[in-house]
Amino acid sequence: MADLPGIVVTGASGRMGQMLARSIAASDRARLVACIEREGHPWIGRDIGECMGGAAMGVLVTDDPLEAFAKAQGVVDFTAPAATVGFAALAAQARLVHVIGTTGLEPADLEKLEAASRHAVIVRAGNMSLGVNLLVRMTQKIAAALDEDWDVEVVEAHHRMKVDAPSGTALMLGRAAAEGRGISLEDHMDSGRHGITGARKRGDIGFSAIRGGDVVGEHDVIFAADGERVVLRHLATDRGIFARGALRAVLWGQGQKPGQYDMMDVLGL
Ligand SMILES: NC(=O)C1=CN([C@@H]2O[C@H](COP(=O)(O)OP(=O)(O)OC[C@H]3O[C@@H](n4cnc5c(N)ncnc54)[C@H](OP(=O)(O)O)[C@@H]3O)[C@@H](O)[C@H]2O)C=CC1
Ligand SMILES: O=C(O)C1=N[C@H](C(=O)O)C[C@H](O)C1
């Protein structure tokens, strides 16, 4: 047991943090060694299992990442951009595998992650599920096969608490369509239509976001031509799919060379 990789979960009270803590604690391939929450959080100093309303797991919640990282080989981080950038610097210093599920990262954040990845392994993906990563590959292939007579639209739906749009997954799917077409997403992205927008620009990739209720995550990639449409769809109904992917990623990352990787590398897709 002691030689299994020790894993830290950040943002432990969050929707994903709790799912990750449960999944890692239940795994026979890794050990949950610490959980992190921010300073002043009511869970600090308490057992994570009890905080989540269950039996004690023998793992405490701390607000001290340095102390937590000192006893770990990996950190699984589904929090917020500013927190993730801070954890990346500390994880790199400690040479931990840093699995990042956090979305909404800006270019300046990505530069900091790039710097951290010179010293340690980072695995980052806007969606860690097997199904979505398969859909990304399918999107790329279909986009490569179809010309610009087929308008590409990415439609996503999430729970009412989600703070970023388009979702990380929608951006992965849009980028895959752009790659399939051999164009840059940044130059062809049409997001947040409102008012007199004018007709759709040929070759653009459109994004729409729905927010409501407790939707875990739904993504459609629509290829719309005159007289026909092809729709690729992924429906997430359980956050366990993301936790499974993250656990797989943190195990895969052990022993890899420093650098940035994604779920395609982990899954071999
Ligand atoms: N890649 C993937 O497969 C998936 C990615 N995600 C992404 O993961 C992220 C989290 O999602 P979700 O769990 O729903 O969000 P939640 O808001 O439920 O959880 C985020 C957690 O991070 C904590 N946090 C924020 N800043 C810090 C900090 N500085 N130190 C410690 N903890 C901190 C929050 O604490 P507090 O409440 O105090 O702010 C909260 O507990 C989002 O970016 C989401 O898009 C989600 C699902 C799958
Ligand atoms: O915030 C969420 O909940 C999710 N975020 C990720 C995203 O931005 O795509 C992945 C998943 O869809 C759930």
Side-chain angles (χ1 to χ4, degrees):
M1 188 68 180
D3 49 1
L4 294 177
I7 311 298
V8 175
V9 170
T10 60
S13 74
R15 279 173 290 274
M16 277 306 299
Q18 294 194 43
M19 178 58 78
L20 288 159
R22 283 199 185 89
S23 303
I24 295 167
S27 167
D28 55 7
R29 301 185 61 204
R31 283 175 304 130
L32 180 67
V33 292
C35 287
I36 297 178
E37 255 307 335
R38 59 167 102 234
E39 208 181 321
H41 193 280
W43 289 14
I44 303 297
R46 296 180 54 205
D47 184 280
I48 182 68
E50 290 175 352
C51 290
M52 295 189 295
M57 289 179 174
V59 176
L60 295 181
V61 182
T62 174
D63 58 5
D64 182 352
L66 280 180
E67 178 211 2
F69 289 2
K71 51 188 172 191
Q73 282 71 49
V75 51
V76 180
D77 177 12
F78 288 59
T79 54
T84 289
V85 165
F87 291 134
L90 299 176
Q93 273 174 34
R95 304 292 189 259
L96 301 190
V97 174
H98 187 187
V99 172
I100 301 175
T102 306
T103 58
L105 293 152
E106 299 288 347
D109 302 321
L110 297 177
E111 275 175 32
K112 291 180 184 140
L113 298 187
E114 182 59 33
S117 74
R118 289 188 210 117
H119 309 284
V121 173
I122 290 183
V123 184
R124 184 176 70 83
N127 195 305
M128 303 248 165
S129 76
L130 174 59
V132 157
N133 283 278
L134 282 173
L135 194 71
V136 165
R137 276 287 174 258
M138 288 193 273
T139 299
Q140 192 181 8
K141 285 215 159 111
I142 292 176
L146 300 175
D147 65 17
E148 290 188 348
D149 286 346
W150 295 76
D151 300 324
V152 183
E153 291 284 319
V154 182
V155 183
E156 49 116 335
H158 283 88
H159 53 93
R160 62 168 74 92
M161 300 307 288
K162 184 159 179 64
V163 296
D164 56 312
S167 69
T169 312
L171 292 170
M172 284 168 71
L173 293 165
R175 184 149 287 115
E179 277 167 17
R181 281 196 167 164
I183 58 172
S184 128
L185 178 62
E186 283 65 31
D187 294 345
H188 291 86
M189 185 161 173
D190 187 1
S191 182
R193 294 182 190 111
H194 180 84
I196 310 292
T197 59
R200 194 182 195 288
K201 206 166 137 207
R202 186 176 163 83
D204 270 2
I205 297 175
F207 290 84
S208 313
I210 295 162
R211 295 288 176 265
D214 61 356
V215 179
V216 173
E218 302 184 353
H219 293 86
D220 280 4
V221 185
I222 304 168
F223 293 87
D226 291 341
E228 58 183 328
R229 267 177 294 162
V230 174
V231 182
L232 303 180
R233 167 170 293 173
H234 182 267
L235 304 176
T237 54
D238 181 345
R239 289 186 175 85
I241 61 172
F242 312 128
R244 264 202 300 284
L247 178 56
R248 193 163 168 172
V250 78
L251 295 173
W252 176 90
Q254 305 297 316
Q256 300 288 337
K257 287 197 188 116
Q260 281 216 62
Y261 301 89
D262 61 19
M263 284 306 284
M264 297 298 174
D265 299 309
V266 174
L267 299 169
L269 292 176

